[in-house]
Amino acid sequence: MGRILSVYNLIGYSASSIGALASSLPAYLGNSLYVIRSMYLVYAIAGLVMVIVYSALGGIESSRRGIGLRG
């Protein structure tokens, strides 16, 4: 269980730090409208990819009984 939580935290903190770095991209690339629109486009594509991934995971069920607090 500890390993799962550590991987979960690693992914969460990595995504947070990448997001913080990405928020400073317009300053490095110039504050043009094209750069900001491109960032929104990348953000929208990432959201669509996550929707596809989560919808694919929706059919996964546990084959073992007794997993969880009430099991």
Side-chain angles (χ1 to χ4, degrees):
M1 181 73 170
R3 183 174 173 91
I4 293 171
L5 291 176
S6 64
V7 171
Y8 175 78
N9 284 330
L10 176 68
I11 292 171
Y13 289 135
S14 298
S16 176
S17 63
I18 289 171
L21 288 173
S23 68
S24 66
L25 279 178
Y28 290 116
L29 300 176
N31 281 331
S32 70
L33 189 59
Y34 175 74
V35 172
I36 294 173
R37 284 183 180 174
S38 298
M39 286 182 62
Y40 276 110
L41 181 63
V42 169
Y43 184 72
I45 291 171
L48 289 174
V49 168
M50 293 307 295
V51 165
I52 293 169
V53 167
Y54 282 130
S55 66
L57 292 176
I60 297 175
E61 295 181 15
S62 175
S63 61
R64 295 189 317 177
R65 299 291 294 179
I67 296 176
L69 296 175
R70 297 183 185 183

